[in-house]
Amino acid sequence: GAVVSQHPSWVICKSGTSVKIECRSLDFQATTMFWYRQFPKQSLMLMATSNEGSKATYEQGVEKDKFLINHASLTLSTLTVTSAHPEDSSFYICSARAWGSSYEQYFGPGTRLTVT
Amino acid sequence: RKEVEQDPGPFNVPEGATVAFNCTYSNSASQSFFWYRQDCRKEPKLLMSVYSSGNEDGRFTAQLNRASQYISLLIRDSKLSDSATYLCVVNKEDSSYKLIFGSGTRLLVRP
């Protein structure tokens, strides 16, 4: 149980285009989903927290107009990187927390974004 | 000061060795502590939660010292498959269930 999927697993896009990444909890309902970014040789940095049916909460320094997050259902959250630039190239990982659970988060396999 | 600090390593040990990793955290109000394992270019996977009384899972033992704000992970009888980066993870004090990740300690187990 507690499986989280992400799609796509990797994507290459041109500078200036937008990319949407999906995060799904496959066998549980996720009231809260988290989006992280990880640059090479660095740890995961939390970008934003999204709760189903409400606006996402962004961490300091993360542009909410550039990284659009939608959590439309209890099993799906999407992250759209708008007007992508090469510096947005990174490993984007989502995680989900089940309703009523403790602090444990279940991670998706990540999406590797390369902006050329 | 980083919220969660770890020695980046790498720790290069032979198979069968015992190795220990340490981690310190800055927020005394943190309540939940974890060790995650991350393989290269993969997502982190939960290794074990860390409880105040200390806990053991097979070859892995985790300890928590709240007074010193210090967490440790001990791996006994290292296997080649233990080679990975070990992330110390702590929750933030508020109720948003946010997790703060350390930068990780890299372990290399050699034959």
Side-chain angles (χ1 to χ4, degrees):
Chain A
V3 177
V4 176
S5 70
Q6 268 184 254
H7 179 80
S9 56
W10 61 271
V11 58
I12 301 173
C13 71
K14 292 187 176 181
S15 188
T17 61
S18 295
V19 174
K20 179 185 283 189
I21 303 170
E22 291 186 349
C23 176
R24 293 181 185 272
S25 56
L26 298 185
D27 51 2
F28 66 100
Q29 292 186 327
T31 48
T32 307
M33 288 185 169
F34 303 86
W35 286 95
Y36 296 84
R37 181 167 53 181
Q38 186 175 32
F39 292 107
K41 298 187 185 296
Q42 296 185 27
S43 191
L44 278 73
M45 296 298 295
L46 180 65
M47 298 175 67
T49 304
S50 76
N51 292 293
E52 185 263 339
S54 62
K55 289 185 178 180
T57 304
Y58 291 81
E59 294 300 299
Q60 191 173 11
V62 177
E63 298 175 59
K64 62 179 181 180
D65 295 328
K66 180 170 181 61
F67 299 99
L68 302 178
I69 292 172
N70 184 280
H71 193 157
S73 76
L74 284 171
T75 59
L76 173 64
S77 176
T78 60
L79 167 68
T80 301
V81 183
T82 63
S83 186
H85 291 284
E87 57 266 31
D88 297 324
S89 298
S90 186
F91 190 44
Y92 292 86
I93 308 174
C94 73
S95 70
R97 175 183 161 266
W99 183 86
S101 73
S102 61
Y103 291 93
E104 186 172 350
Q105 296 178 18
Y106 304 99
F107 284 83
T111 297
R112 195 160 298 280
L113 170 64
T114 302
V115 184
T116 60
Chain B
R1 182 186 174 189
K2 289 183 181 178
E3 292 180 273
V4 179
E5 295 207 56
Q6 294 181 250
D7 180 344
F11 285 61
N12 192 320
V13 303
E15 266 188 296
T18 295
V19 62
F21 304 140
N22 303 319
C23 165
T24 57
Y25 60 96
S26 62
N27 192 333
S28 60
S30 293
Q31 299 169 23
S32 294
F33 310 90
F34 309 92
W35 283 101
Y36 277 76
R37 169 196 169 127
Q38 186 175 26
D39 293 289
C40 189
R41 301 172 80 85
K42 299 284 188 181
E43 77 277 21
K45 293 188 185 296
L46 179 64
L47 181 64
M48 58 196 303
S49 300
V50 186
Y51 303 116
S52 297
S53 55
N55 50 301
E56 185 175 309
D57 182 2
R59 298 182 293 108
F60 301 85
T61 300
Q63 297 278 355
L64 169 64
N65 184 322
R66 285 187 185 271
S68 302
Q69 296 178 206
Y70 171 96
I71 307 163
S72 66
L73 176 68
L74 183 77
I75 304 176
R76 291 182 298 278
D77 188 23
S78 298
K79 311 291 185 190
L80 294 177
S81 57
D82 292 335
S83 298
T85 296
Y86 290 83
L87 305 172
C88 177
V89 184
V90 175
N91 81 294
K92 290 195 97 161
E93 65 174 302
D94 59 24
S95 60
S96 60
Y97 298 97
K98 296 179 185 178
L99 297 181
I100 305 300
F101 284 76
S103 54
T105 298
R106 190 164 170 223
L107 172 65
L108 302 172
V109 182
R110 63 181 188 271

